[in-house]
Amino acid sequence: MLPPDYHMHTHLCHHAEGVPMDLARQASEMGIREIGVSEHNPMPSDDFDQWRMYRSKLGEYLANLEEARRAFPNVTLRAALEVDYLPGYEEWIRELASMHDWDYFIGSVHYIDGGWDIDNPNRLEEWRARDVYDVWAAYFDRLTAAAASGLFQIIGHADLPKKFCFVPQRDCTSLFTRFLEAAAGSGTAIEINTAGLRKECREMYPSPPFLRLAKAKGIELTFGSDAHRPGEVGMNFPEAIALARSVGYTHSVRFERRQRTRVPLP
Ligand code: ZN
Ligand code: FE
Ligand code: FE
Ligand code: ZN
């Protein structure tokens, strides 16, 4: 038995494959009994960037989820979004939240100041041009604000800046701690995101020392494959559970209409 997979995408974001039905089928075949589809959120204007669902597709997204629920009644399907946190967008995020009875929002930071999406493989020249620690600090400033905002149930891939192996020489513990204290204050969970294993960093998000700190601060946990193809659903979950256990976690959490319940790890 595997825990719920709470982070995955569909074709509606223009850089992933499959519909919720395909994701539910894969989960069903793997013995995963609960998934949450968390498409990249629409922005007020569809020309914000090229890698998210259009505003006009929200209805189709929800209809696709409903169709998957009917086809795979053995899989519980949660309706979610992975929402970009940018300062100044709080009102928009509240508006999104009011558009449906969502089970949860994953708050993610991809953009830091200057409109740079730090995980974009087409923008590696930015990494080479900047001081690596400054980028991490700017990212964690934003992630800390996201955690403090209370707009999200879960914070996504918390140490995303390591993706392309640009890791500062300087110790980042104080950045992690400040973020985790904000998450503890608002009761926001984090996820173990196994997609990092499929990137240059070859490591789940967050790192073991980061996750150990999270456990010490009492932060709750979910699991996410960040699947961008149906075949990635539940990927590397045994390793993710082992990582959670290795730092002392005994439970993960589920969300239904933003209400959290704790469940023992398998
Ligand atoms: Zn994506
Ligand atoms: Fe993301
Ligand atoms: Fe994602
Ligand atoms: Zn993601």
Side-chain angles (χ1 to χ4, degrees):
M1 249 277 280
L2 293 173
D5 185 345
Y6 266 9
H7 192 150
M8 60 189 70
H9 299 276
T10 76
H11 74 290
L12 289 176
C13 67
H14 319 282
H15 66 278
E17 292 165 23
V19 291
M21 178 107 80
D22 304 317
L23 301 168
R25 181 182 301 110
Q26 178 71 12
S28 173
E29 280 168 11
M30 293 184 77
I32 296 180
R33 306 226 308 250
E34 180 172 334
I35 60 172
V37 186
S38 56
E39 192 55 286
H40 294 289
N41 70 292
M43 282 300 197
S45 172
D46 287 339
D47 60 11
F48 183 87
D49 59 22
Q50 287 75 50
W51 51 265
R52 64 188 60 252
M53 173 164 50
Y54 289 147
R55 205 172 161 167
S56 60
K57 295 286 187 178
L58 261 176
E60 183 179 333
Y61 180 55
L62 295 168
N64 290 347
L65 285 172
E66 209 40 62
E67 184 183 42
R69 284 192 186 104
R70 280 197 302 272
F72 293 93
N74 57 328
V75 178
T76 299
L77 251 98
R78 300 297 180 203
L81 291 172
E82 179 180 14
V83 178
D84 272 81
Y85 178 76
L86 289 99
Y89 281 80
E90 291 84 353
E91 263 324 299
W92 171 243
I93 297 168
R94 279 189 201 98
E95 199 178 322
L96 280 172
S98 73
M99 288 179 190
H100 181 70
D101 200 1
W102 303 101
D103 292 306
Y104 59 90
F105 275 2
I106 299 176
S108 290
V109 171
H110 303 104
Y111 284 98
I112 61 166
D113 40 275
W116 170 32
D117 41 355
I118 59 161
D119 63 329
N120 188 335
N122 301 319
R123 300 192 69 181
L124 287 178
E125 72 284 356
E126 289 282 347
W127 274 110
R128 296 190 192 100
R130 298 204 201 189
D131 178 80
V132 172
Y133 183 83
D134 289 349
V135 175
W136 280 59
Y139 169 86
F140 275 99
D141 275 352
R142 225 168 241 203
L143 201 72
T144 300
S149 74
L151 292 166
F152 312 110
Q153 284 65 50
I154 304 163
I155 293 293
H157 43 58
D159 59 355
L160 180 67
K162 75 182 175 190
K163 177 176 177 180
F164 303 115
C165 303
F166 291 96
V167 177
Q169 298 294 314
R170 235 171 106 181
D171 181 48
C172 289
T173 305
S174 64
L175 303 179
F176 304 160
T177 301
R178 201 164 55 98
F179 156 68
L180 291 168
E181 282 169 357
S186 61
T188 308
I190 63 168
E191 63 169 4
I192 293 184
N193 182 313
T194 63
L197 289 168
R198 311 193 289 276
K199 312 296 183 198
E200 273 97 318
C201 61
R202 300 268 164 222
E203 182 181 275
M204 291 180 265
Y205 309 107
S207 66
F210 191 156
L211 195 67
R212 187 166 288 114
L213 279 175
K215 173 62 186 155
K217 298 280 179 197
I219 307 293
E220 300 287 3
L221 193 63
T222 63
F223 294 88
S225 63
D226 214 339
H228 281 65
R229 300 186 280 111
E232 291 172 348
V233 171
M235 223 173 185
N236 299 113
F237 269 31
E239 292 94 316
I241 296 161
L243 171 60
R245 285 209 178 273
S246 75
V247 302
Y249 278 98
T250 56
H251 289 70
S252 64
V253 291
R254 310 165 58 197
F255 290 94
E256 180 174 7
R257 299 180 169 180
R258 294 174 242 191
Q259 294 306 303
R260 185 168 88 185
T261 48
R262 299 181 86 229
V263 283
L265 290 177

